[in-house]
Amino acid sequence: MHYLEFEKPLAEIEGKAEELRALARKNEEMDVEKEASALDKKAADLLRDLYKDLTPWRKCLVARHPDRPHCQDYIKALFTEYTPLAGDRNFADDHAVMGGLARLNDRPVVVIGHEKGTDTKSRIERNFGMARPEGYRKAIRLMEMADKFNLPVVTLVDTPGAYPGKGAEERGQSEAIARSTQKCLEIGVPLISVIIGEGGSGGAVAFATANRLAMLEHSVYSVISPEGCASILWKDAEKMREAAEALRLTAQDLKKLGVIDLIIKEPQGGAQRARDKTIATVGRTINDMLSGMDGMDRATLIADRRKKFLQMGSKGLAA
């Protein structure tokens, strides 16, 4: 288990409990269960207290936790008959974006998502979930296919932002993001988006301009990373905690502002501590959101999406 910086006291308690049980396994005459159980209770209480009222910056750390379920975990667990589709039919296949045809509870869909990778090799291959222009053009191609065959689109967002490298800019990064966002608004099929980790900048908006947008409880969604914001505003990336507060990037803030529709509750201690339970909850939420749009025709779906984004923010301003 990977522990975050603010979880170090928890790591010490859980480590002591495990040490006691390891000693007991070596010496069957030792009875340590009473002491180990007391430590377990102390750890559970501390875990509850740590996650009871996370600051925005700590939510950023949890959203980036390497053990959280990633896009490929959700696809493997929730979708059957998944057939991956590759390439933008123009330049290359971007491994930071994965997607294809699948079934969700026997409902045919197109699923698209950012994938960060799980170890050093796969993270480099996936470019840490930072898509290049060809990734967004692949998403556009899949959305067009979904529109043509009347298939709902499900997007899973988890990216620090679009890749800002020289080659990406030369190949039209901003144009690709804009066209992907435009395509989200144009398609006449239900579009559901879930932010499962980080929702960073235009790289996230290009997938999340949806009819229904949900966020996991400890995920974040913002126009820029706290570190990037701090570097621009204060010329000091170390002021990321203040930036995280100012950006209002938590699911709770964004629900109040009317930016998102739903917060998906995470298990105690975050999605990384109960991956299967989290994935199952997200699956039920996606299915419920899709079922809620059954019977809506093409014109209604497009109008619903446009109205949602034209009104965005008014709820929070009125409050």
Side-chain angles (χ1 to χ4, degrees):
M1 179 68 183
H2 177 90
Y3 291 92
L4 299 171
E5 183 181 353
F6 70 89
E7 295 178 319
K8 285 182 179 178
L10 179 66
E12 292 177 7
I13 297 171
E14 291 186 339
K16 288 177 183 177
E18 180 54 35
E19 285 175 14
L20 284 174
R21 291 191 170 99
L23 288 172
R25 285 194 293 269
K26 291 179 181 178
N27 185 353
E28 295 182 358
E29 295 181 1
M30 292 183 65
D31 184 9
V32 300
E33 193 53 39
K34 184 176 180 180
E35 292 85 350
S37 296
L39 287 172
D40 288 342
K41 184 180 184 307
K42 186 176 180 181
D45 291 342
L46 179 57
L47 181 67
R48 184 183 63 251
D49 291 341
L50 285 173
Y51 277 81
K52 183 169 59 178
D53 191 22
L54 288 175
T55 65
W57 173 244
R58 286 186 174 182
K59 280 189 178 285
C60 288
L61 297 178
V62 176
R64 297 168 179 173
H65 199 292
D67 296 334
R68 283 177 78 86
H70 290 177
C71 178
Q72 57 186 347
D73 298 315
Y74 286 96
I75 290 177
K76 183 177 180 180
L78 298 177
F79 298 87
T80 57
E81 299 181 33
Y82 173 62
T83 304
L85 298 173
D88 65 347
R89 299 295 186 266
N90 184 31
F91 182 77
D93 181 38
D94 186 352
H95 296 292
V97 175
M98 60 186 301
L101 300 166
R103 288 181 179 272
L104 176 67
N105 291 334
D106 208 36
R107 182 199 298 262
V109 299
V110 167
V111 58
I112 307 168
H114 301 96
E115 175 55 48
K116 288 183 172 180
T118 55
D119 54 26
T120 302
K121 182 179 178 181
S122 63
R123 285 170 188 151
I124 292 171
E125 179 188 359
R126 302 284 187 176
N127 202 34
F128 300 88
M130 295 184 290
R132 297 175 169 89
E134 44 273 22
Y136 296 105
R137 290 176 180 136
K138 173 163 69 174
I140 292 168
R141 184 170 74 85
L142 294 182
M143 284 189 276
E144 288 175 342
M145 179 184 297
D147 197 22
K148 180 178 181 180
F149 294 105
N150 198 32
L151 301 174
V153 177
V154 177
T155 65
L156 302 171
V157 178
D158 188 16
T159 179
Y163 183 62
K166 182 174 180 286
E169 296 297 340
E170 288 175 343
R171 295 194 299 278
Q173 182 72 290
S174 58
E175 182 264 355
I177 291 171
R179 288 194 179 276
S180 182
T181 306
Q182 180 185 29
K183 185 57 63 178
C184 287
L185 288 168
E186 288 177 347
I187 59 176
V189 295
L191 175 53
I192 298 292
S193 184
V194 180
I195 297 173
I196 58 176
E198 285 186 275
S201 191
V205 174
F207 285 11
T209 309
N211 290 96
R212 302 290 180 268
L213 174 57
M215 286 179 69
L216 279 171
E217 182 182 2
H218 301 312
S219 58
V220 293
Y221 187 28
S222 64
V223 70
I224 191 172
S225 70
E227 297 92 332
C229 178
S231 296
I232 292 170
L233 293 183
W234 295 291
K235 312 299 181 187
D236 183 2
E238 291 303 311
K239 288 187 177 289
M240 66 274 191
R241 292 170 182 81
E242 292 91 333
E245 292 278 353
L247 284 167
R248 302 182 73 178
L249 44 63
T250 68
Q252 294 72 26
D253 281 335
L254 295 169
K255 180 71 168 63
K256 289 178 184 176
L257 287 169
V259 174
I260 68 170
D261 302 293
L262 183 67
I263 298 174
I264 303 172
K265 189 170 178 59
E266 295 189 28
Q268 189 69 257
Q272 65 275 9
R273 284 184 169 264
R275 294 162 57 91
D276 292 344
K277 183 177 180 181
T278 301
I279 291 171
T281 303
V282 169
R284 288 193 296 271
T285 302
I286 293 172
N287 191 62
D288 290 345
M289 289 191 290
L290 283 174
S291 297
M293 288 187 287
D294 284 344
M296 294 175 68
D297 61 25
R298 180 182 183 87
T300 304
L301 286 165
I302 295 172
D304 172 80
R305 206 177 300 129
R306 289 181 62 84
K307 181 181 178 182
K308 173 185 174 65
F309 284 87
L310 287 170
Q311 292 182 341
M312 193 166 285
S314 61
K315 181 179 178 182
L317 291 172

